[in-house]
């Protein structure tokens, strides 16, 4: 096997390699014709990578015996590589890229965008709107004599000689949302026009205070950065009317299944207790976390959402379970303490406090990670964890598929080995996890996750950390989810969503609006990480979004089945309110910039109400997960902001052309105007100038 691999490598790079020395790939690179030095990192005997900082231009990659035409290289795609290969990649913007070369039996390369360069200060595109009426040419979109309505003001006007004149509403920032006053029959819904509302359930609304301290979880009495705040499924259900008022037709909720019971040290400095309130530290994929509520609460949420035309998406994780904690060790009986440490701990281990000179990471000093009783946890056949006799995972930057994210245990989803049910789950009192014959790790995970679809009618998945799980496993999950969806639909034929197909969107961190191989692995859409960079400028002046709008619409038209999910705020990057420095005019402008974008869009809870960045400790992302600011919703300026989001959101919801239609620029100056058309559905958007501070 080793000799065969070396022979393939020798053929690839044109060298005869003496054992055991291996040579770097002889791949030459040029950017716009200028040589680009490559200094390879050896990841394994047949795998190399390099990180490149590239400016916009054409990147050419050439093998030693290259001849013929260069082949276009697509980002994220695994490209077979031969000795006579030439590839080119059009670098769209400055940023960091990772080039990976495999030199084994099946040589290949991949180019992964890592991070775009920090955006420069936006150049002003439009002047402030001065409050006057606006005349717009709409003759190519609407016919003469047709009555149009502005969705923001409710005013109407008749098209004369291909033109129409409107006075933008007070507080509209000169924005007009024009539609036929008497539209044709409602256009069919299109997922490319979806408005997805994303909530971290624990931070949204508390409908049942009795479950706030489930499993013995306690507040920390300080800033409550990483503790459970009390939000639950009942609270979500009570707030569905608010969500529906924004035109939302899909609700993405943080993973509600059972999380680790205890806490780990939060942030780099271990300066707060960090629980799994966000849903990414799974303990039992078959049970609802008690903090979220009961199964009846979940049924009520989905039923009430469906009655409002809202689909419910679960956040799902295939890459990792949660950490081990003192509380879980004590309650579930796995792992071991170091000799003498039991006397050092209080009756309830989770109540342990560090010494003055320690931080919360110091709890690890109490634990004997070399003890064989760690086999009673997930087990070495299930995860790589680097404790006891578990294999140590590499960094996720070294091996995206088998590496560890944030030191979390890495599921062996790629393994073909048959595994037994983990011991702690086999003896857990409340679980639906049952031993199966001939099941691999991924078979259990897929059964557990799709069980929520089959039993409760979950409408889709938002898949976490997609690039850290092999594509074939995602494809298997999708097939199983569709079977589960069909089973649920047969059992619930009267549900309003019984005929709706399953939908799956993936988080490939750093991915932009482009189509890629992930769309062949069960995904209907991928999250678009590019839009957030443009959101601040576009919120001040919508014309700043024109290049992106045109690009997104073109990509959607050119690639059937392609979709993207654009956002301006998220739990893993930043709140728009941070980027806008609390400017409510920009927060209002964001409603237009985001909700008028081609492709599906995601509102992060509180975008519509200027939710503020919260306490964050030594983890800069915790502040993006602050509690929903319900108590501010009655303030006149916040109530007006919400009303604005509602009007724009409902306009989008009425017109699938906004997300799925052809985009055409009507005027690039002032006013800025564009049209979107999809069959008989057509709209015109006009902005007379930059936003005005209220």
């Amino acid at each position: 096997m080793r000799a065969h691999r070396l022979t393939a490598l020798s053929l690839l790079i044109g060298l005869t390699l003496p054992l055991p020395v291996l040579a770097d790939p002889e791949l030459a690179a040029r950017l716009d014709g200028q040589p680009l030095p490559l200094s390879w990192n050896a990841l394994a005997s047949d795998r190399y990578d390099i990180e490149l900082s590239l400016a916009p231009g054409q990147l050419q990659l050439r093998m030693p015996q290259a001849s013929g035409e260069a082949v276009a290289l697509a980002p994220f795609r695994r490209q077979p590589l031969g000795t006579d290969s030439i590839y080119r990649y059009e670098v769209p913007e400055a940023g960091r890229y990772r080039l990976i070369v495999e030199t084994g039996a099946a040589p290949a390369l991949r180019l992964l965008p890592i991070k775009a360069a920090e955006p420069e200060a936006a150049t002003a595109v439009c002047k402030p709107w001065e409050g006057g009426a606006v005349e717009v040419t709409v003759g190519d979109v609407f016919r003469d004599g047709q009555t149009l309505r502005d969705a923001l003001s409710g005013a109407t006007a008749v098209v004369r000689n291909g033109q129409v004149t409107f006075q933008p509403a007070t507080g509209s920032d000169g924005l007009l949302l024009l539609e036929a006053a008497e539209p044709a029959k409602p256009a069919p819904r299109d997922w490319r026009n979806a408005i997805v509302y994303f909530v971290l359930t624990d931070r949204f609304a508390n409908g049942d205070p009795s479950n706030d301290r489930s499993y013995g979880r306690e507040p920390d009495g300080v800033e409550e950065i990483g503790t459970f705040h009390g939000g639950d499924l009942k609270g979500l259900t009570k707030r569905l009317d608010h969500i529906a008022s924004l035109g939302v037709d899909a609700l993405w909720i943080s993973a509600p299944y059972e999380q680790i019971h205890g806490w780990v040290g939060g942030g780099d400095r271990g300066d707060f207790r960090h629980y799994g309130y966000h849903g990414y530290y799974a303990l039992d994929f078959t049970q609802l976390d008690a903090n979220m509520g009961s199964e009846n609460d979940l049924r009520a949420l989905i039923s009430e959402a469906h009655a409002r035309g809202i689909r419910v998406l679960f956040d799902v994780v295939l890459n990792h379970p949660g950490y081990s904690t003192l509380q879980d060790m004590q309650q579930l009986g796995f792992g071991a303490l170091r000799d003498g440490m039991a006397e050092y701990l209080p009756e309830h281990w989770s109540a342990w406090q560090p010494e003055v000179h320690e931080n919360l990471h110091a709890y690890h000093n109490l634990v004997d990670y070399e003890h064989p009783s760690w086999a009673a946890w997930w087990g070495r056949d299930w995860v790589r964890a680097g404790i006891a006799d578990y294999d140590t995972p590499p960094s996720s930057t070294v091996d995206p598929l088998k590496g560890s994210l944030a030191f979390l245990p890495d599921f062996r989803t790629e393994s073909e080995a048959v595994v037994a049910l983990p011991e702690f789950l086999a003896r857990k009192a409340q679980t639906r996890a049952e031993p199966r014959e001939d099941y691999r790790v991924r078979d259990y995970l897929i059964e557990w996750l799709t069980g929520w679809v089959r039993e409760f009618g979950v409408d889709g998945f938002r898949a976490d950390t997609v690039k850290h799980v092999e594509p074939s496993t995602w494809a298997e999950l999708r097939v199983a989810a569709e079977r589960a969806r069909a089973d649920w639909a047969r059992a619930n034929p009267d549900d309003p969503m019984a005929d709706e197909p399953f939908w799956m969107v993936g988080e490939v961190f750093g991915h932009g609006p482009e189509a890629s191989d992930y769309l062949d692995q069960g995904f209907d859409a991928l999250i678009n990480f590019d839009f957030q960079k443009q959101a601040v400028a576009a919120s001040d002046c919508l014309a700043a979004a024109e290049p992106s709008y045109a690009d997104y619409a073109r990509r959607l038209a050119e690639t059937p089945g392609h979709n993207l999910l654009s956002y301006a705020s998220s739990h893993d990057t930043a709140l728009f309110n941070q980027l806008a420095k609390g400017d409510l005019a920009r927060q209002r402008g964001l409603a237009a910039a985001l909700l008028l974008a081609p492709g599906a869009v995601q509102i992060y809870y509180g975008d519509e109400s200027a939710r503020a960045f919260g306490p964050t400790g030594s983890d800069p992302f915790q502040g993006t997960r602050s509690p929903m600011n319900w108590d501010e919703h009655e303030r006149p300026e916040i109530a007006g902001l919400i009303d604005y989001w509602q009007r724009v959101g409902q306009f989008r919801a009425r017109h699938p052309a906004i997300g799925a239609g052809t985009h055409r620029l009507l005027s690039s100056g002032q006013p800025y105007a564009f049209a979107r058309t999809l069959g008989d559905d057509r709209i015109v958007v006009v902005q007379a100038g930059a936003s005005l501070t209220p």
Side-chain angles (χ1 to χ4, degrees):
M1 190 66 149
R2 179 180 175 83
H4 175 74
R5 185 178 70 241
L6 288 172
T7 299
L9 179 61
S10 300
L11 289 173
L12 174 66
I13 64 175
L15 294 172
T16 300
L17 297 175
L19 293 175
V21 178
L22 295 172
D24 291 348
E26 290 191 350
L27 187 68
R30 289 178 175 270
L31 184 64
D32 283 346
Q34 298 300 312
L36 190 67
L38 300 179
S39 179
W40 295 98
N41 301 309
L43 306 179
S45 61
D46 58 359
R47 184 178 170 88
Y48 302 80
D49 84 340
I50 184 174
E51 189 173 307
L52 303 172
S53 294
L54 301 178
Q58 187 181 96
L59 174 67
Q60 187 183 85
L61 301 168
R62 177 185 292 265
M63 290 298 288
Q65 301 172 26
S67 61
E69 295 293 322
V71 176
L73 181 64
F76 298 100
R77 293 178 186 262
R78 186 177 185 275
Q79 180 68 51
L81 181 64
T83 57
D84 59 350
S85 304
I86 307 176
Y87 296 100
R88 72 176 189 277
Y89 176 65
E90 301 296 334
V91 181
E93 60 181 344
R96 288 167 38 223
Y97 296 76
R98 184 169 179 238
L99 180 63
I100 301 172
V101 173
E102 302 170 27
T103 58
L109 62 77
R110 280 186 294 163
L111 185 68
L112 305 179
I114 300 173
K115 183 181 180 183
E118 293 300 321
E120 298 178 1
T123 303
V125 179
C126 13
K127 299 175 183 177
W129 172 56
E130 296 180 352
V134 180
E135 184 177 79
V136 185
T137 299
V138 297
D140 291 341
V141 184
F142 298 106
R143 68 180 185 276
D144 267 15
Q146 191 169 7
T147 301
L148 305 187
R149 177 178 54 234
D150 171 27
L152 289 178
S153 67
T156 60
V158 177
V159 181
R160 304 290 187 197
N161 299 319
Q163 294 184 320
V164 67
T165 301
F166 275 94
Q167 173 67 44
T170 302
S172 69
D173 306 321
L175 186 68
L176 298 170
L177 305 178
L178 303 183
E179 59 189 350
E182 296 183 2
K185 63 180 180 179
R189 182 184 176 277
D190 193 310
W191 268 106
R192 292 171 296 176
N193 195 53
I195 302 177
V196 179
Y197 193 84
F198 169 37
V199 296
L200 285 175
T201 306
D202 174 69
R203 304 300 172 89
F204 191 63
N206 191 343
D208 183 4
S210 70
N211 61 31
D212 290 359
R213 300 189 179 187
S214 300
Y215 313 111
R217 295 168 178 154
E218 296 289 341
D220 63 23
V222 190
E223 293 184 294
E224 310 299 343
I225 294 172
T227 57
F228 278 83
H229 288 197
D232 49 31
L233 299 173
K234 277 188 176 179
L236 260 177
T237 304
K238 291 177 180 178
R239 296 293 185 173
L240 282 174
D241 285 341
H242 168 78
I243 295 170
S245 75
L246 298 166
V248 168
D249 53 2
L251 172 62
W252 156 19
I253 66 174
S254 52
Y257 36 77
E258 188 175 351
Q259 301 294 296
I260 57 173
H261 296 174
W263 51 266
V264 293
D268 294 338
R269 297 194 298 270
D271 48 348
F272 59 90
R273 295 177 185 263
H274 190 180
Y275 289 86
Y277 69 86
H278 43 51
Y280 298 120
Y281 294 169
L283 177 75
D284 186 343
F285 290 84
T286 74
Q287 296 293 301
L288 284 177
D289 193 278
N291 265 77
M292 296 296 101
S294 69
E295 292 184 354
N296 284 337
D297 295 340
L298 178 60
R299 292 185 196 280
L301 169 66
I302 293 176
S303 176
E304 291 292 326
H306 285 182
R308 292 165 173 80
I310 299 174
R311 296 131 188 93
V312 177
L313 313 178
F314 266 23
D315 210 328
V316 298
V317 185
L318 277 174
N319 175 256
H320 57 265
Y323 304 98
S324 62
T325 72
L326 290 172
Q327 187 162 331
D328 295 299
M329 288 171 60
Q330 184 180 32
Q331 291 181 346
L332 299 176
F334 63 78
L337 300 173
R338 291 170 56 194
D339 289 344
M341 291 297 107
E343 298 178 3
Y344 181 67
L345 283 166
E347 179 183 358
H348 299 289
W349 292 0
S350 62
W352 171 83
Q353 294 283 352
E355 300 291 344
V356 174
H357 62 280
E358 296 176 323
N359 63 37
L360 290 166
H361 292 318
Y363 85 87
H364 292 291
N365 298 331
L366 309 174
V367 181
D368 182 0
Y369 287 115
E370 300 304 315
H371 199 281
S373 64
W374 280 100
W377 189 39
W378 284 98
R380 69 187 311 270
D381 292 337
W382 274 77
V383 300
R384 304 171 185 90
I387 60 176
D389 66 345
Y390 288 66
D391 291 339
T392 300
S395 165
S396 61
T397 58
V398 172
D399 190 329
L401 297 182
K402 299 179 182 179
S404 173
L405 286 171
F407 306 103
L408 285 155
D410 182 68
F411 276 132
R412 294 180 178 271
T413 49
E414 83 293 343
S415 174
E416 297 298 324
V418 173
V419 296
L421 198 65
E423 185 177 332
F424 86 91
L425 279 177
R427 66 191 189 203
K428 187 170 177 280
Q430 291 183 315
T431 185
R432 284 194 175 93
E434 297 182 2
R436 304 293 191 197
E437 291 187 6
D438 301 324
Y439 262 33
R440 303 157 297 182
V441 169
R442 64 180 177 272
D443 296 323
Y444 278 105
L445 293 172
I446 289 171
E447 177 183 296
W448 296 341
L449 291 172
T450 58
W452 299 104
V453 181
R454 178 174 285 104
E455 180 68 21
F456 297 93
V458 170
D459 300 282
F461 290 156
R462 178 270 187 186
D464 184 62
T465 59
V466 166
K467 67 181 177 182
H468 298 292
V469 176
E470 58 285 345
S472 60
T473 294
W474 292 118
E476 288 185 43
L477 176 68
R478 174 57 182 259
V479 170
E482 288 187 339
R483 286 198 299 264
R485 178 71 178 182
D487 290 345
W488 173 81
R490 281 192 293 271
N492 298 272
D494 296 330
D495 189 283
M497 299 295 172
D499 294 330
E500 288 285 317
F502 192 79
W503 194 71
M504 197 158 85
V505 57
E507 180 227 24
V508 181
F509 204 87
H511 204 287
E514 66 273 7
S516 70
D517 287 348
Y518 291 105
L519 297 172
D520 300 326
Q521 306 299 331
F523 291 101
D524 298 288
L526 297 175
I527 293 175
N528 173 23
F529 285 81
D530 280 2
F531 185 79
Q532 189 178 45
K533 298 190 292 289
Q534 299 131 26
V536 174
S539 71
D540 178 63
C541 183
L542 197 57
E546 172 59 29
S548 293
Y549 284 179
D551 179 53
Y552 297 174
R554 176 186 60 80
R555 292 178 184 275
L556 292 170
E558 290 178 351
T559 309
H562 175 41
N563 197 359
L564 52 124
L565 182 64
S566 299
Y567 71 93
S569 298
S570 90
H571 60 314
D572 282 334
T573 54
L575 279 186
F576 179 82
N577 200 19
Q578 288 174 271
L579 306 177
K581 303 184 186 307
D583 184 343
L584 291 185
R586 287 189 182 276
Q587 201 84 26
R588 190 173 62 243
L590 175 64
L594 177 65
L595 296 175
L596 298 176
V601 296
Q602 171 224 297
I603 300 172
Y604 187 35
Y605 74 102
D607 276 346
E608 75 276 22
S609 56
R611 175 171 61 89
F613 190 76
T616 204
S618 60
D619 180 342
F621 301 117
Q622 295 297 324
T624 66
R625 307 161 186 183
S626 54
M628 182 63 168
N629 57 333
W630 296 112
D631 56 346
E632 295 183 326
H633 282 209
E634 299 305 316
R635 286 172 46 197
E637 62 270 31
I638 300 299
L641 174 63
I642 294 170
D643 178 72
Y644 191 83
W645 275 78
Q646 290 169 336
R647 291 173 186 269
V648 181
Q650 291 167 17
F651 176 70
R652 179 186 176 100
R654 289 194 296 274
H655 297 289
I658 294 174
T662 300
H663 174 87
R664 185 152 53 93
L665 179 65
L666 300 180
S667 171
S668 59
Q670 286 193 218
Y672 163 66
F674 66 81
R676 300 264 174 82
T677 58
L678 182 66
D680 293 333
D681 186 32
R682 51 197 60 214
I683 59 95
V684 169
V685 171
V686 184
Q687 190 176 42
S691 302
L692 295 175
T693 302

